[in-house]
Amino acid sequence: MPAKQKVAALAFWSIVIAFVVMGLKFIAWRLTGSVALYSDALESIVNVIAATAAFWAIRISHTPADQDHPFGHHKAEYFSAVLEGVLIVVAALLILAEVWRAWQMPVKLDQPWPGLAVNGAATAINLVWATLLIRTGRSHRSPALVADGKHIMTDVITSIGVIAGLIGAVATGWTILDPALAVIVALNILWQGWHVIGSSVQGLMDRAVGTEEHMRIRDIISANSKGALEVHDLKTRIAGRATFIEFHLVVDAGMTVGESHVICDRIEDALKAEIPSVRVIIHVEPDDEAKLPPGTAAVPFA
């Protein structure tokens, strides 16, 4: 299956999985009356909304470039990720409001073991799905898919903590543990929401590639620049799954346009073979624009 179709298919099935898990978690809450399980169920509503937003954003991001958006629609996925971060924070605030009521009037849990079993099944489904989303999102450079997977993984971690804590509450009879666990869940969700928002905003700000990727790009350019004299002013930025690369290529002033074009094509082909969804802009300059003195090693970076 092509990468675009695979990402879109996973985004669609995320909505289905989110509804299934939400249903299971609300059943677990109804069985027990636990405010901690209720907080877990509330977060699953956010998962449904976030999965729907991610599906929409991924479809938009795969729309071909047009006259109004000549560089494509790749950044649409970042808007989805920001929305997901905001929804995570809203869910945490709703949980804290419910905790306040439960703290004033702690209740004894009804049918704790069936409820915990149902919640455990929902958690297992989330664990498998989150792992798949994160792995696929990273391999196909999809910020929306990665954000959705990380959000679900956060849900998994908090659910495991809730289940372990409620087992302790049932065993000891300390009903106060139930709202206390919900507070921990809410604080963890707030932290994750802030992280998702920050990461997505960085993407909207045209963040450059990481140091390791930057050095790899330099190596590819240098290895395929035979016939040129120098490369300088290398700039990169990431927009969703696309990587934009721009640099200046210095050639001998007597070189023909056709000869310099051959070098540029060779560099572009090498970059496209190594980096998925890359966009390359090369500005060719004569040797009097070089930043390094003559006689330096072949095709150095200034």
Side-chain angles (χ1 to χ4, degrees):
M1 183 185 294
K4 289 183 180 180
Q5 292 182 16
K6 186 174 183 179
V7 170
L10 283 176
F12 171 76
W13 281 104
S14 278
I15 301 173
V16 177
I17 296 293
F19 270 110
V20 170
V21 169
M22 181 180 69
L24 289 172
K25 289 193 172 185
F26 271 100
I27 290 172
W29 165 60
R30 294 294 294 176
L31 285 171
T32 62
S34 163
V35 68
L37 290 183
Y38 178 66
S39 69
D40 214 10
L42 275 179
E43 191 183 1
S44 66
I45 297 176
V46 177
N47 288 350
V48 172
I49 299 172
T52 305
F55 177 66
W56 170 83
I58 286 170
R59 286 179 63 88
I60 295 295
S61 72
H62 284 110
T63 304
D66 53 37
Q67 187 174 354
D68 293 328
H69 306 88
F71 291 96
H73 303 77
H74 310 290
K75 287 189 177 181
E77 293 196 36
Y78 289 120
F79 290 103
S80 166
V82 170
L83 173 62
E84 183 161 352
V86 172
L87 290 174
I88 292 172
V89 173
V90 171
L93 296 177
L94 290 174
I95 291 168
L96 289 174
E98 187 63 28
V99 166
W100 175 250
R101 287 190 289 270
W103 202 283
Q104 294 174 315
M105 297 181 60
V107 296
K108 186 177 180 180
L109 302 181
D110 298 324
Q111 305 183 64
W113 301 117
L116 287 172
V118 172
N119 193 270
T123 302
I125 293 171
N126 266 347
L127 176 61
V128 173
W129 193 249
T131 303
L132 178 62
L133 289 179
I134 293 171
R135 186 178 301 162
T136 306
R138 284 174 176 167
S139 63
H140 294 298
R141 300 285 289 274
S142 172
L145 218 57
V146 172
D148 200 21
K150 285 185 176 180
H151 180 198
I152 296 173
M153 190 61 77
T154 302
D155 195 14
V156 169
I157 295 169
T158 54
S159 294
I160 291 173
V162 165
I163 291 170
L166 286 180
I167 290 174
V170 173
T172 60
W174 296 348
T175 55
I176 199 66
L177 283 177
D178 185 27
L181 283 168
V183 170
I184 296 172
V185 171
L187 293 177
N188 185 49
I189 292 171
L190 278 173
W191 170 254
Q192 291 298 326
W194 176 255
H195 180 74
V196 169
I197 292 171
S199 176
S200 303
V201 168
Q202 283 295 316
L204 289 170
M205 296 283 288
D206 284 342
R207 178 174 53 88
V209 301
T211 304
E212 186 177 337
E213 182 74 356
H214 183 87
M215 295 308 297
R216 187 163 78 99
I217 290 170
R218 283 173 58 110
D219 290 342
I220 294 170
I221 294 171
S222 186
N224 292 276
S225 299
K226 185 178 180 181
L229 301 177
E230 178 185 297
V231 177
H232 59 248
D233 290 349
L234 172 62
K235 299 174 184 175
T236 64
R237 66 184 178 92
I238 300 173
R241 66 185 180 283
T243 301
F244 291 84
I245 300 172
E246 177 184 337
F247 59 90
H248 294 189
L249 183 73
V250 179
V251 299
D252 188 284
M255 181 177 287
T256 66
V257 173
E259 289 170 334
S260 63
H261 186 68
V262 168
I263 300 173
C264 292
D265 280 348
R266 187 167 65 241
I267 296 172
E268 282 190 53
D269 291 341
L271 287 168
K272 288 176 180 177
E274 294 291 330
I275 303 170
S277 301
V278 71
R279 308 285 190 275
V280 185
I281 298 175
I282 305 174
H283 179 68
V284 179
E285 296 181 331
D287 49 21
D288 59 358
E289 295 290 334
K291 294 188 175 182
L292 294 174
T296 351
V299 203
F301 270 83

